[in-house]
Amino acid sequence: MAHINMEGEQIFALNGVNQIVRGGGKVTHILKVEVARHVSAETADRLQTAIYNHIANVAIKIIGNGKPITVTWTPAEAAYPTYYHCYSATFNDGGVLHHTQALLRQLVDRLDPDFNNGFTNGKLGVALLVSKPLGREVYIDSGGFILLGAKRKREEANT
C-alpha cells in the first residue's frame, strides 16, 4: 500500500512529527495551541507567535508536586507555530499534564499585558491540548480494516 498524501493545514503541520515517528525517533506527547475562534486572524497570529517565542525549543522548568519538571516543546513545523512535540522519558503523562497546566497559567500571566489584558477581561482565550502519538503508523483501509505487520506487507506487494 502506497503512502497517501493528505491535504489540509492540520495534516501539513503534523508532518514534522510524522517524519520523526516514521524515522524511529521518540515523541511522547504532542501539544496543540488553540486560540479562541472569536479572535481576529491578526490577533490569533500575534498570539501564536508570542507563545512560540516563549516555548519553542526552550527547556521550561516548572515545579510540580515539589519536584522539578522540565519539558522542551519542539515546533512540529517552523511555518506553523500551532503544533509542538516533546520526548519525556522521565515523566509520565501526569507530569506532562501538570507541567502543561502550569505553563498555560504562566503564558496567560506573561502575555496578558501585551494583549491589552485580553485574558483578564475575557476577550482572548487560548487552550493547550496535549495528546499522545501512536507508537507506530496504523493504516486503515477504506473498508475500515487495520493493516499492520505482515498483512500490510502483503497488501503493499499486491499494489
Side-chain angles (χ1 to χ4, degrees):
M1 176 189 298
H3 280 278
I4 298 171
N5 291 326
M6 300 185 75
E7 302 292 328
E9 186 174 317
Q10 182 176 359
I11 297 301
F12 181 76
L14 286 171
N15 281 341
V17 176
N18 290 337
Q19 289 173 356
I20 290 168
V21 172
R22 282 182 187 147
K26 297 181 180 182
V27 174
T28 57
H29 297 84
I30 298 171
L31 175 76
K32 180 180 183 193
V33 177
E34 194 60 49
V35 176
R37 297 185 197 285
H38 67 276
V39 175
S40 72
E42 179 186 336
T43 301
D45 286 346
R46 279 185 48 230
L47 186 55
Q48 290 278 10
T49 300
I51 291 170
Y52 175 90
N53 290 336
H54 280 284
I55 71 172
N57 300 311
V58 176
I60 303 166
K61 182 178 176 181
I62 292 175
I63 304 298
N65 296 329
K67 299 176 186 170
I69 302 171
T70 303
V71 175
T72 302
W73 291 107
T74 303
E77 292 283 340
Y80 290 89
T82 305
Y83 288 94
Y84 303 82
H85 64 276
C86 74
Y87 174 69
S88 178
T90 310
F91 306 109
N92 63 13
D93 294 346
V96 173
L97 173 65
H98 184 82
H99 185 278
T100 306
Q101 289 170 328
L103 176 61
L104 179 59
R105 287 190 296 273
Q106 281 185 2
L107 287 170
V108 167
D109 289 346
R110 286 182 188 165
L111 297 176
D112 202 30
D114 297 338
F115 287 86
N116 298 321
N117 297 315
F119 293 105
T120 301
N121 64 32
K123 295 188 180 199
L124 277 181
V126 67
L128 301 180
L129 308 164
V130 180
S131 62
K132 293 182 63 97
L134 293 172
R136 59 183 172 179
E137 286 186 303
V138 176
Y139 293 89
I140 302 175
D141 71 10
S142 59
F145 297 101
I146 297 173
L147 307 173
L148 295 172
K151 183 176 181 183
R152 181 173 152 223
K153 292 195 182 307
R154 281 195 303 266
E155 292 284 333
E156 288 174 350
N158 291 332
T159 58

